[in-house]
Every structure is written in structure tokens, then in C-alpha cells.
Amino acid sequence: MKERFYMRVLLVGLVLVALSLSFTPVFAQTGSTSLQSPEVGGEGESFLEKEAGICAYVKANKTLDINRAKSYFRTVEKEGPDFVVGSVPVPGYDTPEDAHMFVHKDGWIIAYYSKAEPVAKIIDWRSYQPGKVVTKLYQALANVAGGLGVSLTNVRYYHYAYPEANKLMIIVDRDSFKITIPGEIPIYEVNASMGRRDGNYGIIKVGVDKLTLDVIHNVGLSNDRKWIVIDGTGIGGWDWCEFFALFIIYQEK
Amino acid sequence: MLKKIIILILLVTIFIPSSAFAVDTKVKIEEGESVFLEALEESEELNMITAKIPIKFFVEYADSLSEIEFTSEIDPKIAVISSYMFIEYSDTILKLNLSGDDSIKKSLNIGPRITVEYADTVFNMPLVSAIF
């Protein structure tokens, strides 16, 4: 009788050990951030590589109904067997600010602006608060992902034109700031947006050459707040603005 | 004899789960390198864990070993939903990021970075490809 009792305890112990081991989570190092194209695959991936520039995306852990996704589009731009592309309104903005939206049945929801669009277009000036930048791509993504029941806890950004880039720095100010870019850092795109809280804005092409490497630059607004000035020289102008933002796409080594 | 074996097994049973539920991993970071940690097939098992668990990282840099531990503030299910974690660092900050929101910071001395002074907002956004 006593033996049977001990055998039972032995069995329970073994089961508990087996269970505890089976719960051990395993994490693996998958390498550095040498960037690859999002693994959408197939025709969808080819399309994005050709058309897309800056994008914000999520990957749902479920199959998506692409016909249902179309109900959130202002216009349908392209339909493939596994994906659909359309334009999606950004709340508070007119049609020219619409984001393109790629929805794949495998779970990909990708909001993007085309390759020709400057990255500075993404800032949502209507939502800007000091310390907090909201992008139009996020706003558009939220509408579609929310409608399809997909969580936005893991929104990522990528730029199809610069697969080697791994950072987008957005610097927002009301008057002026100083910036130094070390020579070791590859820069791919620099442009600026001058904006107001009503959502109106102008984009200024700055160019990589305006921010000489290893030099402290002073970047600010002119006295009438209509020009962006770098080291005392006007780089480009728009209209009176409350804020301006500098966008730098680069590779952090 | 059988009694001793049972006591031994019970002791093992009691002590193994406390370590098995903690996610320990060691990551070596070279200068100028970032690291992804990706959950493997065990995500289903992770989903079954409802309690908050400690997740420890050991980050090795320049021959020094730093231990970083997520405490109970972070639900491991968040890590499962995001399916991977991203480690990034600036010149003085090492940040471990779970699902883009929760992070802890630790000082390390590492490579050259863009420096900005006196700006209202500096938003340094990672551009990442999807590794699912």
C-alpha cells in the first residue's frame, strides 16, 4: 500500500517536472538589423518594392478579408489574388494627404506614401504636441486595422527606397536647434516640413549636402517664420508656420 | 531508497519551475550592432502563461556583462503578441523595447550618434523590416 502511494507521488513529480520543462520559453538571436524587405512575398512584395516609399505596417496573426478591407478605402487602386491596394483618408486632411493602403490576406496591413513623396509628408501637424509625434500613416493604418480587428500594438516603419537605412530622426522645434552628424553615419534623405496646427504645411527639400558632417549646424526659422534657415542661410520657404520639423533618414551603425 | 528518490524528485519539481518560467538569454552586442530576439515555436506555450514572469537579458558589450531584467510590470504576453523584441541603443542609452511601448534603459558607452540640442522634440524612429 505504502509502495503504491510512493509510486503515485513519483508519477505526479515526473509529470510536474515534464510540464515545467515544456513551459520553458526559448528566445533566439536572429542577427543584426541588416534590413530585408518585408516578407510579404510574391506579387505583393514586387509591387511594394516598386511603388512604396516610407510605410507604417502591422502584421495580423490571422487571415484578413481583403474584400472587407476595401470598404475602408476611398478608392481601390489595384487588386491582386491575395492583396488589395487603395487610398485611405487621413482624418482631418483632404484627398492629397490620403495614404496608400496595402492589405494582404496573410495579415499584412501596410500604409505608405509613394516612393516619390518626401518623408516629411508623414507628420500630422494637427496632432502634434511637444514630445509626441503622430504620423498620418499611423492615423490611416489605425482606421483600417481597427476596422479589421487588428491590434496596433506593434506598428513598425520601413522605407522601401532605402533598404540600408535603419533610423528616421524627426526633430521638431519652434525656433532653432543645433545638430551634429558624425562623418561615419550614412545619410539618405534630409527634408523639412513647416506646419501649423490647422494641418496646413509646406515641405522644404534640404538635401544631404546642407548638413556638412562633423560640424555643429544651427537650424531654425527666419524672423518672419516663413523660411528655414541653416547656419544663417535660407534653405527654403513656405508660409508663416508655428513649428518646423527636420527629417533625416540614415543608417545608425 | 525509493523514499529518497521521491524526496529528490520533489525537490527538483519545486525548484525547476521557478527558473524555467524565467526567460534568460544572453546577447552579445558588438559596437555598431543591434539585435533582434525572436520568439520561436514556443509561443503557444508562452501564451498559456498568464502570470507575469521575469525576463532577463544579459547584454555583453566591450567585455562587460550587463544584466537587464524586465520585472512584473511587463506582461510576457505582450512579447508573444509582438513576436520579437528589439534592442536599440544610442551613445549613452541602451533600450530594450517590447511591442514599441514598454522599455527600460541602461547606460552603455557605444559608437557615434547624431546629437541634437535645444529642440522641442527629438523622435528617433527605428526603420525595421518585418522579421516574423
Side-chain angles (χ1 to χ4, degrees):
Chain A
M1 189 67 184
K2 213 169 186 179
E3 284 289 307
R4 184 176 289 177
F5 170 74
Y6 282 131
M7 286 305 288
R8 282 183 180 169
V9 174
L10 178 64
L11 274 171
V12 169
L14 286 171
V15 167
L16 285 173
V17 169
L19 276 175
S20 67
L21 290 174
S22 73
F23 273 120
T24 307
V26 177
F27 284 73
Q29 185 175 339
T30 58
S32 66
T33 53
S34 55
L35 298 180
Q36 306 161 11
S37 295
E39 296 174 355
V40 175
E43 190 188 342
E45 176 130 11
S46 306
F47 174 82
L48 288 167
E49 284 176 355
K50 186 181 172 189
E51 298 292 330
I54 185 76
C55 72
Y57 65 88
V58 288
K59 171 75 164 62
N61 293 319
K62 63 179 184 180
T63 302
L64 298 179
D65 180 348
I66 57 175
N67 284 317
R68 190 174 155 208
K70 284 193 286 187
S71 65
Y72 299 97
F73 291 0
R74 193 195 297 272
T75 58
V76 176
E77 298 169 342
K78 183 178 176 63
E79 285 190 79
D82 302 323
F83 68 91
V84 63
V85 182
S87 63
V88 171
V90 177
Y93 290 87
D94 294 333
T95 312
E97 306 304 314
D98 283 6
H100 300 284
M101 193 70 61
F102 173 99
V103 180
H104 195 287
K105 68 176 179 58
D106 288 347
W108 296 98
I109 309 174
I110 303 175
Y112 67 91
Y113 282 131
S114 64
K115 219 179 275 294
E117 302 270 23
V119 69
K121 186 174 181 178
I122 66 172
I123 192 165
D124 176 4
W125 285 118
R126 295 173 69 95
S127 303
Y128 173 71
Q129 296 169 3
K132 185 184 178 188
V133 173
V134 178
T135 71
K136 293 172 191 164
L137 295 179
Y138 182 93
Q139 303 281 43
L141 192 67
N143 273 354
V144 177
L148 296 174
V150 176
S151 166
L152 279 179
T153 54
N154 194 25
V155 175
R156 302 277 165 181
Y157 287 81
Y158 181 74
H159 201 303
Y160 278 89
Y162 311 115
E164 299 300 320
N166 57 15
K167 287 283 182 175
L168 166 60
M169 182 175 276
I170 304 172
I171 308 157
V172 189
D173 204 29
R174 288 163 293 186
D175 40 50
S176 68
F177 62 84
K178 293 182 185 297
I179 182 168
T180 310
I181 303 176
E184 298 89 336
I185 294 182
I187 307 292
Y188 300 99
E189 184 176 324
V190 183
N191 48 48
S193 175
M194 302 169 70
R196 295 195 292 251
R197 288 193 190 280
D198 63 6
N200 284 312
Y201 71 97
I203 288 180
I204 311 299
K205 186 178 178 183
V206 177
V208 176
D209 58 319
K210 298 294 190 303
L211 293 172
T212 323
L213 303 177
D214 292 321
V215 173
I216 301 173
H217 294 283
N218 194 66
V219 183
L221 289 173
S222 58
N223 289 335
D224 62 4
R225 307 186 72 85
K226 292 182 177 179
W227 283 79
I228 288 184
V229 176
I230 297 181
D231 301 329
T233 303
I235 299 299
W238 176 61
D239 198 355
W240 182 91
C241 68
E242 291 174 82
F243 306 102
F244 74 102
L246 191 69
F247 294 75
I248 305 171
I249 294 183
Y250 66 103
Q251 184 188 76
E252 191 172 83
K253 294 190 172 182
Chain B
M1 185 60 188
L2 186 59
K3 197 172 180 179
K4 284 180 180 174
I5 291 171
I6 289 169
I7 289 169
L8 184 65
I9 288 171
L10 284 175
L11 282 173
V12 170
T13 310
I14 290 165
F15 285 109
I16 278 187
S18 61
S19 59
F21 279 104
V23 181
D24 287 10
T25 187
K26 184 177 176 182
V27 183
K28 185 173 184 179
I29 295 183
E30 301 293 342
E31 185 171 343
E33 183 184 15
S34 300
V35 179
F36 281 102
L37 299 172
E38 186 177 15
L40 296 180
E41 303 302 323
E42 283 72 14
S43 58
E44 284 188 12
E45 281 80 3
L46 269 174
N47 269 325
M48 293 167 64
I49 301 171
T50 54
K52 293 178 179 178
I53 60 172
I55 302 174
K56 283 184 182 178
F57 283 91
F58 299 92
V59 178
E60 191 175 320
Y61 177 77
D63 298 327
S64 66
L65 194 68
S66 303
E67 180 181 322
I68 299 167
E69 180 174 342
F70 293 133
T71 65
S72 59
E73 292 175 11
I74 297 172
D75 188 332
K77 290 169 78 176
I78 294 172
V80 177
I81 293 165
S82 66
S83 84
Y84 62 86
M85 301 172 195
F86 179 57
I87 297 179
E88 64 172 336
Y89 49 83
S90 65
D91 52 348
T92 55
I93 299 293
L94 177 103
K95 184 193 289 182
L96 277 75
N97 204 329
L98 279 172
S99 72
D101 296 322
D102 302 298
S103 63
I104 58 172
K105 295 174 180 179
K106 188 169 181 65
S107 294
L108 282 175
N109 294 317
I110 42 183
R113 296 291 177 269
I114 293 176
T115 55
V116 179
E117 296 176 275
Y118 313 122
D120 289 345
T121 303
V122 179
F123 193 57
N124 205 351
M125 179 192 288
L127 296 173
V128 296
S129 61
I131 304 173
F132 287 96

